[in-house]
Amino acid sequence: MAGWDVHTHLIPPTVLAAAQRGDYGLSVDEGFLVVDGVERLPLQKLGDPSALVQWVEEQELDGAVVSVPPALFRYDQGIEWATLVNQGLRELVTPQLRVLGHVPLRSATAAAVAAALAEEGVFSGYALGTPGYGGLDAVWKVLDSAEAFTLVHPGHSTDRRLDAFYLSNLLGNPYETGLAAAELVFNDVPARFPGIRFCLCHGGGVTGILAGRWQRGIDTARPGIEPPSLPVLETLQRFAVDDLVHDPAVVELLEATFGQVLAGSDWPFPMGSDRLDRGRAVAAEVLTRPLGKGANL
């Protein structure tokens, strides 16, 4: 068994078609998908599932787990956007490509959408951005019941100080992932909903190095903290992370901090990995099998 890459991206074909029509604030310009006139996603590989399959074969893997690029989370677009994205994700599924469903987290229908996706036997879990996780217990309940693999991927930081030096990615992405992890830890989500199989992208961002500081805040009763059910390090053992940190010494920290370290490339983005660890890829095969009674892959 060769394993799976848990962190890859494609633009669903339904989104590409909408862009060609000029719908949903999308357009195509000189080989780029333009989102709301701001974000520009290169189409050469992101729009080509066969290129991802080629990557899988080059890495000698069984397959890749696909989520949409974070520019397409667009939680302000609601249920219609989620419907479009999820239909396109369905069309991407093959024996070598598994997909993570999109949940409209800011919509009143978020839990119902998540529940419906879990029953199809098509989706291998969910990919969540980082729009803030307050008030989502109804969603967590669905994901817990489904024992869903749930990839936490950072969205774009709004801090304008990060505009220089590519810091929106180099620093903003790890911060956003750490913020999401902190919300989950301090809201006691992993203890209250132990069936959810959270996986934090980019090695969990800043989470690993801050775990002791978070515990110190709890131990000294800092303002606003209601102690979670479990110590921070015990809670983090309930998370998986991918190994996309570009530093073997940091991988050692991840292995000491989190329950599992999985292989994730962030294909096809330039900040991703060129070569995956086959050993860390194997564990993802079971974790990312399609949800639901109708699963057939």
Side-chain angles (χ1 to χ4, degrees):
M1 184 180 295
W4 290 72
D5 181 345
V6 300
H7 181 181
T8 71
H9 299 288
L10 285 170
I11 298 171
T14 51
V15 173
L16 291 173
Q20 295 288 354
R21 298 190 303 266
D23 292 343
Y24 294 98
L26 305 173
S27 61
V28 176
D29 178 48
E30 296 182 347
F32 287 84
L33 174 70
V34 184
V35 184
D36 296 324
V38 179
E39 297 271 5
R40 295 175 64 87
L41 297 173
L43 290 175
Q44 184 176 10
K45 291 184 178 180
L46 276 173
D48 183 4
S50 66
L52 178 52
V53 171
Q54 182 178 347
W55 157 263
V56 165
E57 293 172 351
E58 290 170 353
Q59 297 293 313
E60 300 180 312
L61 298 174
D62 294 318
V65 183
V66 175
S67 54
V68 297
L72 299 182
F73 286 139
R74 304 181 84 199
Y75 290 117
D76 59 333
Q77 297 292 309
I79 183 64
E80 289 187 7
W81 175 252
T83 299
L84 179 81
V85 169
N86 286 323
Q87 179 53 40
L89 287 166
R90 291 183 188 97
E91 295 172 15
L92 292 173
V93 174
T94 70
Q96 290 175 292
L97 299 181
R98 296 175 176 175
V99 296
L100 300 178
H102 178 66
V103 179
L105 291 179
R106 289 180 174 164
S107 169
T109 65
V113 170
L117 296 180
E119 291 297 317
E120 292 186 24
V122 173
F123 293 91
S124 290
Y126 307 89
L128 307 182
T130 53
Y133 290 162
L136 290 179
D137 275 12
V139 175
W140 303 140
K141 184 177 180 179
V142 171
L143 274 55
D144 178 59
S145 178
E147 297 185 342
F149 181 80
T150 302
L151 188 75
V152 175
H153 195 292
H156 186 74
S157 173
T158 59
D159 188 340
R160 305 313 303 177
R161 294 174 298 174
L162 300 177
D163 288 350
F165 311 118
Y166 199 59
L167 292 180
S168 61
N169 185 295
L170 300 182
L171 181 59
N173 279 13
Y175 165 78
E176 285 288 323
T177 305
L179 177 59
E183 289 183 296
L184 294 171
V185 168
F186 286 103
N187 280 317
D188 212 21
V189 172
R192 293 189 295 121
F193 303 98
I196 306 176
R197 300 170 177 180
F198 285 110
C199 179
L200 307 175
C201 285
H202 312 127
V206 300
T207 304
I209 200 169
L210 292 178
R213 185 174 181 86
W214 293 355
Q215 186 62 54
R216 180 65 175 176
I218 293 168
D219 293 344
T220 58
R222 294 300 84 204
I225 296 177
E226 182 175 339
S229 300
L230 302 172
V232 171
L233 281 177
E234 190 172 340
T235 300
L236 294 181
Q237 284 291 308
R238 301 189 177 201
F239 288 85
V241 294
D242 72 19
D243 59 358
L244 187 56
V245 292
H246 307 293
D247 187 338
V250 176
V251 174
E252 293 183 15
L253 172 64
L254 303 183
E255 291 173 339
T257 303
F258 298 97
Q260 284 184 295
V261 180
L262 307 174
S265 69
D266 205 7
W267 185 95
F269 288 103
M271 287 298 295
S273 292
D274 298 321
R275 172 63 57 179
L276 291 189
D277 183 290
R278 297 271 299 281
R280 290 193 287 268
V282 169
E285 196 283 323
V286 172
L287 284 173
T288 64
R289 287 176 181 171
L291 305 172
K293 296 179 181 179
N296 55 16
L297 290 180

